[in-house]
Structure formats: structure tokens, C-alpha cells
Amino acid sequence: MNAHRPFTLRPNQPRLTMSEIALWIAGALPLVVLALLLVSLLAISQARASDIACHGENLLVEMEKDRPDELASIRAEAAKVPNGQGIFWKVEKESLKPSHLLGTMHVTDPRVLTMPKGAREAAAGADVVVIESDEILDEQKAAASLLMHPELTMFTDGKSVKDHLDAADLEKLASGLKQRGLALGAVAKMKPWILASFVALPACEMSRKAAGASFLDKQIAEDAVNAGKPVAGLESLVEQLEAMADLPVDFHFKALIETIALGDKMEDVIETMTELYLAGEIGMTMPMLKAVAPTEAGEDESAYAAFETRIVRDRNLVMAEGSKQHLEKGNAFIAVGALHLPGEEGLVELLRKQGYTVTRVDG
């Protein structure tokens, strides 16, 4: 595991809500891959309809009509985020052939799979394609890794979700899982971050993935393999789970229940995130979620600080360090979750600190 640095919330720094965190994880971690693997391993019935269409609406359209001041506030907050615009970047250094960095969204939406202009050509012409975890190409290998670390996915101490949630929250969880074709009793031993991967995406998206549709990162990797191109990973699925496990389990359960509370709004939230992604407005994602996601007063600020350190900052540092060996050779194509790109400690700024010139291509 990575060494942790002490982290203190900066004055006036906006604090994430629990549901924002779960949705951030849905956007930045391909944990749904692990969920689908567990569905297969545990013989849990998958969502049946592979042809379910998503019907979400962009919440910002309604906001622009009914609450323009609130939308203006969201845009103002987003404008302060360094590198908050753009998902496709060129990475250059003197004497090296340019490399490219693509921010991805871990969904099967055809609009996302299309990729911005020039990205597909850059990937096809690269000497190496680098993704978060190359284990997504081999589900058997990923499943074997999970089986070797059961404590990262399941309660192994005799406890279950029933030991962490009261009756009301258990009912909410059971209802949310049922909408995705899962029975609470069948998954009660699973850790909350695995359960979150079942509910942090709409049923239509889970159904498409369960039917075998590739999300963007996997499609990029599959295209590279089919072209005889090497594919490298920046971290393993186990390392991603270890990062999750480092946070308090009750913290994860709160995030899980708040996400379920979004209910039917989930498809609208994901659609809004998708349209922001397609527009390259990544910096608007978190301000948007603050406006639409439920929150509770009196949450533990140290838990939020731990989340930002372990799941956001530490993983950004790992990705920047892991990218170095490929960037030093030039002509690499790197694809990671778009939410890792913006911010003072996002991947774009971290690569600049390594001496690279990083410029937006898709705008």
C-alpha cells in the first residue's frame, strides 16, 4: 500500500457529501467490473434485460430554466477548478514523440465510446496503451485475484451488512438491490464498496455491462490487443480495493445508503454527468452533485479528508508515477477516469510538475 500523508482540509474547502463520494467512485473506479465478477462467482441472478435503454435527463437543463442563479453558482465554482475543462490532452517534452492522455468514463454509453476527435487515431498510432488496470482484459485473472483476497470484498469475521445498518437502512438497501435483480440475502456478506458498485450506476448501465458490453477503458484496451499493441496497467484491482478498505467501513455504508436515497434520480444524475463529460466540463461534476445529492449535517470531516487523501490524491500520485516510464519513451496513450485529471493535484498538473507540457486537444 502507499504511504499516507497527513491531510488537512483547507479553509473554505467545499466538503463532499456521502453520495457525491459514491458517485465519484462510480465515475473514477471501474469497481462495477468487480461487482459483475462477483455476480458470476456467487451465481447471483444478473439483471435480465440486456436491451434496457437509459432514460435519464440532464438536470442542468431544468436548473437553467427554473433556478438560473443556482446554475450560475455551479459554473462559477467549476471555473475555479484548474484544468476543469477538457478530457483529451497532449503530453509533450523536447526530443520525445508526443503522448496523449484521455479522461474516461467507465460506462457503455455509445456517446462516450465514440471518444473525442483525434483520440481514437492517437490510440491506434501509439506504441503502448496504458489504462488504470490491465486486469479488466482478463476476467478469470481478475476473479483469481479477488479469490486470493476475500477480506477485500467480503466480511470474513462472521458479520454482515445487518451488523452495520438499522432496520430502515436495511430496507432501503434491499429495495435498491432488488431494482438491480439482486436479493439482499445473497450479498449480505459483501463489503459496502462492492454493494455500492451495484447501486451507484443505473440499472440500464449495469444490465448492459452484465450482458457483456465493454465500457470505454475496456474497449480501448481491447482495440489495442486486437491491433497487436501492448497494454499496460497503472494499478491492480486489488490495489484499488485496498484503497477502499483503508477507509472506515461505516463511512462506506453511509455513502451507500445516501446513494440509494437518490432513487429514480440516479439515471438523471448519471445522464447529467455523462453530458458534462461529453462537453469536457469535468470541473462542473462535483459542484453539480452538491446541488442534487442528499447530504446530512454533522458528518465527520476527518472521514472526508481521508477519502480525498486515499482515493483521490494517493491514486493520482500512483498514476502519475506509473505513467512516467511510458511517457519517457514517448508516443504513449494513457486513459484513466476523467475525474483524476482536474484540480491542483490532478493528473494534468502532476505531469506538468514532471516537466511535461500538457495542453488540451478537445477544445
Side-chain angles (χ1 to χ4, degrees):
M1 282 189 240
N2 305 312
H4 299 180
R5 293 185 294 159
F7 179 73
T8 303
L9 286 175
R10 294 184 291 276
N12 301 318
Q13 178 181 0
R15 194 180 67 182
L16 301 173
T17 68
M18 290 293 185
S19 48
E20 288 172 61
I21 286 172
L23 289 166
W24 192 99
I25 290 170
L29 285 175
L31 287 179
V32 70
V33 176
L34 304 179
L36 294 177
L37 284 172
L38 287 171
V39 164
S40 175
L41 287 171
L42 301 178
I44 301 169
S45 60
Q46 298 181 12
R48 298 186 306 274
S50 60
D51 58 349
I52 292 179
C54 296
H55 300 289
E57 297 182 0
N58 188 339
L59 295 168
L60 299 182
V61 174
E62 178 184 358
M63 189 178 294
E64 186 169 28
K65 177 182 177 181
D66 299 334
R67 306 190 304 281
D69 291 344
E70 186 174 356
L71 180 57
S73 178
I74 290 174
R75 287 174 172 157
E77 185 175 345
K80 300 176 184 178
V81 179
N83 311 307
Q85 294 183 317
I87 59 173
F88 187 38
W89 302 75
K90 182 182 289 187
V91 184
E92 300 174 285
K93 183 180 283 189
E94 188 176 354
S95 78
L96 292 176
K97 191 172 181 180
S99 294
H100 290 85
L101 172 66
L102 177 68
T104 65
M105 194 171 178
H106 306 309
V107 295
T108 61
D109 191 312
R111 296 169 296 172
V112 171
L113 297 179
T114 299
M115 298 200 288
K117 183 178 179 180
R120 191 173 301 278
E121 293 77 9
D127 292 331
V128 62
V129 168
V130 184
I131 58 176
E132 289 182 35
S133 174
D134 56 351
E135 290 176 337
I136 62 175
L137 283 167
D138 188 340
E139 292 188 357
Q140 290 186 341
K141 179 180 178 182
S145 296
L146 292 180
L147 290 173
M148 292 177 64
H149 299 274
E151 75 285 354
L152 295 177
T153 59
M154 311 286 286
F155 287 105
T156 57
D157 57 0
K159 294 185 177 180
S160 72
V161 297
K162 297 178 182 179
D163 296 297
H164 294 272
L165 298 175
D166 60 26
D169 284 342
L170 275 173
E171 179 58 33
K172 292 177 185 176
L173 178 58
S175 177
L177 292 172
K178 185 177 180 180
Q179 293 176 18
R180 284 147 179 82
L182 299 168
L184 176 61
V187 297
K189 291 288 187 179
M190 288 185 181
K191 292 291 180 72
W193 47 88
I194 300 297
L195 295 177
S197 66
F198 289 124
V199 301
L201 289 174
C204 56
E205 179 64 28
M206 285 293 294
S207 178
R208 289 195 300 236
K209 287 179 176 175
S214 293
F215 55 97
L216 179 54
D217 307 62
K218 189 174 182 180
Q219 175 185 275
I220 291 171
E222 289 171 337
D223 288 346
V225 170
N226 291 336
K229 199 181 302 293
V231 176
L234 296 174
E235 57 185 354
S236 69
L237 296 176
V238 166
E239 287 172 330
Q240 291 182 349
L241 285 181
E242 286 175 339
M244 302 295 288
D246 280 350
L247 301 179
V249 67
D250 288 342
F251 175 78
H252 283 292
F253 273 114
K254 289 179 181 178
L256 173 63
I257 296 303
E258 282 198 10
T259 303
I260 290 175
L262 288 170
D264 293 339
K265 189 186 289 187
M266 180 61 72
E267 285 198 25
D268 293 338
V269 172
I270 297 300
E271 175 62 21
T272 308
M273 293 176 69
T274 300
E275 294 197 24
L276 287 175
Y277 171 83
L278 294 171
E281 296 289 349
I282 306 306
M284 282 188 66
T285 302
M286 297 317 299
M288 178 275 294
L289 288 174
K290 288 182 177 68
V292 303
T295 184
E296 293 182 9
E299 297 288 1
D300 181 6
E301 290 194 359
S302 65
Y304 292 93
F307 170 82
E308 291 210 44
T309 300
R310 190 69 184 95
I311 305 300
V312 183
R313 176 187 292 174
D314 282 0
R315 293 188 65 236
N316 288 352
L317 291 171
V318 168
M319 290 180 184
E321 183 64 27
S323 298
K324 187 182 298 184
Q325 61 176 310
H326 305 291
L327 293 173
E328 287 175 347
K329 298 175 183 177
N331 199 31
F333 185 89
I334 301 171
V336 300
L339 293 175
H340 287 290
L341 271 55
E344 295 177 0
E345 294 177 309
L347 197 52
V348 170
E349 281 303 311
L350 291 176
L351 294 183
R352 286 173 178 160
K353 290 177 181 178
Q354 290 183 7
Y356 291 94
T357 298
V358 186
T359 52
R360 182 183 177 186
V361 178
D362 62 328

